[in-house]
Amino acid sequence: AKMAALWALCGAAVVLAQLWVLSGRAGSLMTTKLSQPQSTLAKSLTSTSTNAPYFKAAESTEIPSYVIKCPSNGLCSRLPPDCMTCNTNYSCIYGKPATFDCKVKPHVHCVDENNHEQENFTINMTCQFCWQLATSDYVCTNSTNCMTVSCPRQRYNATCTVRDHIHCLGNRVFPKMLYCNWTGGYKWSTALALSITLGGFGADRFYLGQWREGLGKLFSFGGLGIWTLIDVLLIGVGYVGPADGSLYI
């Protein structure tokens, strides 16, 4: 009986082992079958994305910045220099009238005297470089760090730009040495009036921002009148000016 029971247990163990092996093979087969469609789908997607048509990016249609300065349908001869390209003739005679052949830049539209649109035209100008123009034909930067009342007069490095309606040879932006000519808002008439009426108390010096001299005049009663008379003369001729070095208005 014991031997029969032992054989029965061994047979049951063998059956269970075979079932476990068969279940492992079935699972691997299912996994293989499920992975095959996914890999096929991935390949199809890859091939689809690879074969997708290529759309070329649209070309840029931005308008150049110089177009803002160019009046539309105006006379070509009156366009600003930034709106045209000219064949510069540097062999012209200085100070004499000269004619240059020009062409409008892209996106710029202009007309001739008969209101006909044109691209090529000529302009008349005086043969001279931009730095040789009159002072009214360009605008320069101003400096507030130099003394306007000094001997000799001080100069400063300025950057000048030619006005839009002026034509010239060379660079339209150029450096130039200019005399200090800025103002801080002080009036010559006010300073002179204070020097005559209240100069003994240093009011003129206080007004000009020279507080040390003003205190000296105040506590010395205008240098017993002598300092007051001298200041009237110095302010009258413009020798004494504002403490910040600016010009009178």
Side-chain angles (χ1 to χ4, degrees):
K2 290 183 180 180
M3 291 296 295
L6 181 61
W7 281 108
L9 288 175
C10 291
V14 171
V15 172
L16 290 175
Q18 291 179 352
L19 290 175
W20 180 78
V21 172
L22 291 175
S23 63
R25 291 181 179 179
S28 62
L29 289 174
M30 291 294 294
T31 304
T32 304
K33 290 182 179 180
L34 289 174
S35 61
Q36 286 180 353
Q38 292 178 357
S39 60
T40 306
L41 179 61
K43 291 181 180 180
S44 62
L45 289 175
T46 304
S47 60
T48 303
S49 60
T50 304
N51 298 328
Y54 174 73
F55 294 98
K56 187 177 181 180
E59 295 182 357
S60 176
T61 57
E62 294 182 358
I63 299 177
S65 58
Y66 61 80
V67 177
I68 301 176
K69 302 180 181 179
C70 308
S72 180
N73 296 326
L75 289 176
C76 295
S77 58
R78 295 184 180 180
L79 286 175
D82 293 338
C83 306
M84 64 181 75
T85 303
C86 299
N87 296 325
T88 306
N89 181 16
Y90 288 96
S91 62
C92 59
I93 301 175
Y94 172 73
K96 299 294 183 180
T99 302
F100 298 96
D101 297 326
C102 302
K103 181 179 180 180
V104 295
K105 292 183 177 180
H107 303 284
V108 178
H109 304 280
C110 63
V111 297
D112 58 8
E113 296 179 353
N114 297 324
N115 205 25
H116 295 154
E117 187 173 356
Q118 61 177 173
E119 293 184 358
N120 301 309
F121 57 96
T122 59
I123 59 171
N124 299 318
M125 55 175 284
T126 303
C127 181
Q128 60 183 349
F129 287 95
C130 295
W131 59 269
Q132 297 173 322
L133 293 171
T135 54
S136 58
D137 293 336
Y138 53 83
V139 180
C140 299
T141 57
N142 204 352
S143 175
T144 58
N145 297 322
C146 59
M147 300 291 291
T148 58
V149 182
S150 62
C151 185
R153 291 184 62 187
Q154 291 187 2
R155 293 173 179 260
Y156 69 97
N157 291 318
T159 301
C160 302
T161 305
V162 181
R163 299 184 184 274
D164 289 340
H165 63 282
I166 302 297
H167 298 274
C168 56
L169 301 176
N171 296 327
R172 299 184 62 81
V173 179
F174 54 91
K176 196 167 187 177
M177 292 289 294
L178 299 177
Y179 285 110
C180 299
N181 60 351
W182 65 284
T183 178
Y186 297 96
K187 293 184 178 181
W188 173 82
S189 58
T190 302
L192 183 61
L194 290 174
S195 182
I196 295 173
T197 58
L198 300 173
F201 301 100
D204 51 351
R205 293 284 185 164
F206 285 123
Y207 171 73
L208 296 175
Q210 302 174 6
W211 59 272
R212 294 183 181 88
E213 292 81 354
L215 290 175
K217 291 182 70 175
L218 176 62
F219 290 109
S220 66
F221 299 102
L224 300 178
I226 299 175
W227 195 349
T228 301
L229 293 176
I230 294 175
D231 272 357
V232 170
L233 294 176
L234 294 179
I235 293 176
V237 299
Y239 185 80
V240 174
D244 59 2
S246 62
L247 291 174
Y248 288 114
I249 296 178

